[in-house]
Amino acid sequence: MSGLRKWLRHSAAVAVSIAALAATSATASADTTIKWLHLENQEPVLELWNQIVDEYEQANPGVTIDMQFLENQAFKAKLPTLLQSSEVPSMFYTWGGGVLKAQGETGVLRDITPALDADGGKWRNQLNASSIDGMTIDGKVWAAPTQTGVVSFFYNKELFEKAGVDGAQIKTWDDFISAVKTLKDAGITPIAGGGGDKWPLHFYWSYLAMREAGQDGFAAAKAGEGNGFAGEPFVKAGELAAELGALEPFQNGYLGATWNDALAAYGDGRAAMILSFESTGRTQASNSTDGKGLAEDNIGIFPFPVIEGAPGVVTDNLGGLTGWAVTKDAPPETEGFLEYFTSPDVAKRWSAVAKTIPVTKGVAETITDPLLKVSAEALSKETWHQNYLDQDLGPNVGAVVNDMSVAIMSGQISPEDAARQIQDTFELENM
Amino acid sequence: MTTTDSILPPPVGAAPPGRPRRRRSLAHTKLPVLVIFLPPALLLFTVLVILPMGEAAWYSFFHWNGYGAPSKWVDLRNYQLIFRNAAFKTALINNFLIIFVSIVIQLPLALWLATMVTKRIKGALFFRLIFFLPYVLADVAAGMIWRFVYDGDFGLVAGIWHFFGAEPPFLLADPDTAMPAILAVVVWKYFGFHMMLFIAGLQAIDRSILEAADVDGATGWQKFRLVTLPMLGSTVRLSVFFAVIGSLQLFDLIMPLTGGGPSNSTQTMVTFLYNFGVTRMQVGFGSAVGVILFVICVTLAFGYKRIFMKND
């Protein structure tokens, strides 16, 4: 019996100390904490972000910014539950599009329009208008845009030269296919692909569909006109993707490779090309085996080729518009921090380190990095900006697009069946 | 678990069956025990098991992305979609493949090794630990290690292939070889657990029976087939039960290895639920998968218990 009493006394003591602990932590959090959930794993970028956080904290006493990291795929998987839990972050990374729309519709996000328009629209005037439009759904701005970009082909000049291919001369899809063949004949792996993550291959299908359908055809498919995504241009896009896949242009084992594996294959010089983001100059280096990757002057860029006779033009870009969504119960200082984060001075520093193209007015023009400049110029001249389809079409249809892109290119499904499946899912989602 | 009950006489000096007294004392203690211990357990079980199960069943009739409250009732459409889904069929087949390999390869291997390491040979204890080691390792960690082993560029497998001067395969990137590669990891990971069960069972076998068989001139194989195996029956049945249920739930080994790919060739029902329900924000659809998985598990578990384990 005495044992029991002792046990009870001990548990009471423990309970009291836990309560005391909870009380102290409650007083400590009387100050504001902004929980910043991000996916950034590059050391130099994080270093800069920590600096920016320090600066903001010093200028705003009582505000703490708590950075939380989740790996890309884990982030996508965890976010829906996280947003409805008590651990909800104040701001988190977003690719915009259908995923942001789904989040906005369910009331977990905060409309940041008032913050943008405060002080006579001080923050709004700081950003490119089109980027704000990209984050606007039904008249409400659900996220602060920070960065834009374009997907294009990056190539290894040395390997191209060895095979006798001129990257600057690749204008049409036929040019591209013959370049792939020439590289293969020279014993060089033409393309680095990340089929394990799936989305890196959806760039091919998306771009081909954009070229085949053109902006109007795409808009019609989204509006459910005609056969939608099961229509002729989309089947044709699949056929071209399948033809490319049949040439076996990717590195061995690409179906199990992650995006980082693909960047490593390109950065190590084990593959001659990669269809990738504007920041590839930096990411190929950090993912390469020696940590240095290809020298900058060994990297060339060309836009995704056009298809002869199809309506899509070379200035139609596939690329992201990414930013930070603010959650419903986030402290009001969150918007203040985002305004600081997108201010011209910070945006310039960030662009220099992360090799990104900020949407802050006047920053893209000042970019000096030669590779990034090519992407920035492509963006400044673009005729149509299509957001990544796996984000734009929402989480479910987007995932099917990714699945089908891999399945088509690895020859597991016919282009007709793939287009049909995308359309079926699209109809189910939008019924 | 005791395998000797039916064969051996009751131990000398055991108390005579005291049924009446025991029953009276039971009746005496039953009510307070019920009143004190049942409600908390019942409450926990209801809140943590019954309610979520009911909720999942309810959600499976909705088209719902997981935010807010479900509102779009779709009858049985989620179930129709599942049974039309090619990846689900693959997942189902894979699950039964895992069960099959567990029973046909893993358990015999575990039994064979168990009989080896229970012998009084030098280093038996050491080998017992070594064989048990994979089971101790976290599933995710094991998956990541094997992903590296199988890597066609830098992995151990690649090294072996290079040694023989051949172009290494990418086992996990090929839809034809990915599943066999995973099955090998499954066998490697879990045979130690079953081996331990068998060792416990083997140690419960009375040595005098085996000695009697020796005296009668039985060979090693005869002793194993006619004495050891029958007396190990309940352990084997339990092992099979664990293997079946474990195989149906296989998830955390596969995610780091292939994530269900390439081309959904290595999905199991649980990775299918995760990939198609959770990450695509189709909570209604995912719930329906959960319900189907639940029904399969419960049917197999109860059916198996009723048929094979009724005397255990």
Side-chain angles (χ1 to χ4, degrees), chain A residues 77 79-80 83-84 102-103 106 108 198 252-253 255-256 258 261 270 289 395-396 399-400 403 410 412 428-429 431, chain B residues 63 65-68 72 74 77 81 147 153-154 167 170 172-173 175 262-264 274 276 278-282:
Chain A
L79 198 60
L83 287 180
Q84 301 185 87
Q103 291 159 349
T106 51
V108 293
K198 294 183 182 171
N252 281 335
L255 280 177
T258 64
D261 293 339
R270 287 183 276 129
T289 311
N396 191 20
V400 176
D403 281 355
S410 58
Q412 309 255 338
L428 284 173
E429 272 306 295
M431 63 173 207
Chain B
H63 181 72
N65 64 10
Y67 288 103
K72 211 185 266 175
V74 292
R77 210 200 61 207
L81 286 176
R147 188 182 163 89
D153 286 324
F154 307 108
E167 189 65 20
F170 285 78
L172 294 176
S263 309
N264 293 323
Y274 176 77
F276 286 76
V278 180
T279 63
R280 295 177 191 210
M281 291 169 64
Q282 299 191 84

Side-chain angles (χ1 to χ4, degrees), chain A residues 38 40-51 67:
Chain A
H38 66 88
E40 187 58 61
N41 54 8
Q42 304 272 333
E43 209 42 59
V45 178
L46 282 174
E47 209 174 290
L48 176 73
W49 282 7
N50 276 317
Q51 268 176 37
M67 280 166 91

Side-chain angles (χ1 to χ4, degrees), chain A residues 27-283:
Chain A
T27 47
S29 67
D31 291 331
T32 310
T33 303
I34 299 173
K35 287 188 260 176
W36 179 6
L37 179 63
H38 66 88
L39 328 169
E40 187 58 61
N41 54 8
Q42 304 272 333
E43 209 42 59
V45 178
L46 282 174
E47 209 174 290
L48 176 73
W49 282 7
N50 276 317
Q51 268 176 37
I52 297 168
V53 162
D54 284 346
E55 288 162 18
Y56 188 77
E57 283 175 349
Q58 265 162 31
N60 298 272
V63 179
T64 344
I65 296 172
D66 180 13
M67 280 166 91
Q68 301 161 338
F69 168 74
L70 273 177
E71 186 275 331
N72 186 317
Q73 297 299 95
F75 170 85
K76 287 176 191 163
K78 201 178 171 186
L79 198 60
T81 23
L82 197 61
L83 287 180
Q84 301 185 87
S85 73
S86 56
E87 294 298 308
V88 54
S90 312
M91 54 185 263
F92 63 90
Y93 197 68
T94 175
W95 291 268
V99 178
L100 182 68
K101 182 167 179 260
Q103 291 159 349
E105 274 167 359
T106 51
V108 293
L109 300 184
R110 181 156 75 209
D111 175 14
I112 62 164
T113 319
L116 282 165
D117 292 332
D119 286 336
K122 191 168 139 267
W123 186 13
R124 185 185 282 274
N125 293 332
Q126 195 170 290
L127 306 171
N128 288 332
S130 65
S131 71
I132 296 175
D133 287 347
M135 294 295 188
T136 307
I137 296 156
D138 300 330
K140 287 175 178 153
V141 188
W142 292 116
T146 47
Q147 165 194 354
T148 180
V150 53
V151 171
S152 34
F153 275 108
F154 290 72
Y155 66 95
N156 184 323
K157 287 182 183 167
E158 219 177 280
L159 291 179
F160 263 47
E161 213 166 288
K162 213 172 125 194
V165 181
D166 185 359
Q169 291 309 313
I170 299 177
K171 304 284 182 205
T172 67
W173 184 250
D174 292 338
D175 295 344
F176 178 74
I177 290 291
S178 68
V180 166
K181 285 180 181 159
T182 316
L183 284 161
K184 270 213 89 140
D185 290 344
I188 296 165
T189 303
I191 315 176
D197 278 347
K198 294 183 182 171
W199 59 260
L201 293 195
H202 106 285
F203 291 161
Y204 290 88
W205 186 85
S206 300
Y207 251 135
L208 286 168
M210 283 169 69
R211 298 288 188 253
E212 282 287 355
Q215 187 171 10
D216 296 337
F218 232 90
K222 276 200 208 173
E225 290 163 21
N227 282 327
F229 288 100
E232 199 191 347
F234 298 94
V235 175
K236 263 192 177 161
E239 282 165 2
L240 294 177
E243 276 170 36
L244 174 64
L247 294 176
E248 300 189 342
F250 299 107
Q251 83 276 21
N252 281 335
Y254 78 100
L255 280 177
T258 64
W259 176 238
N260 290 346
D261 293 339
L263 282 168
Y266 175 72
D268 288 353
R270 287 183 276 129
M273 284 186 269
I274 189 166
L275 183 55
S276 177
F277 306 103
E278 63 289 344
S279 57
T280 303
R282 170 176 63 88
T283 50

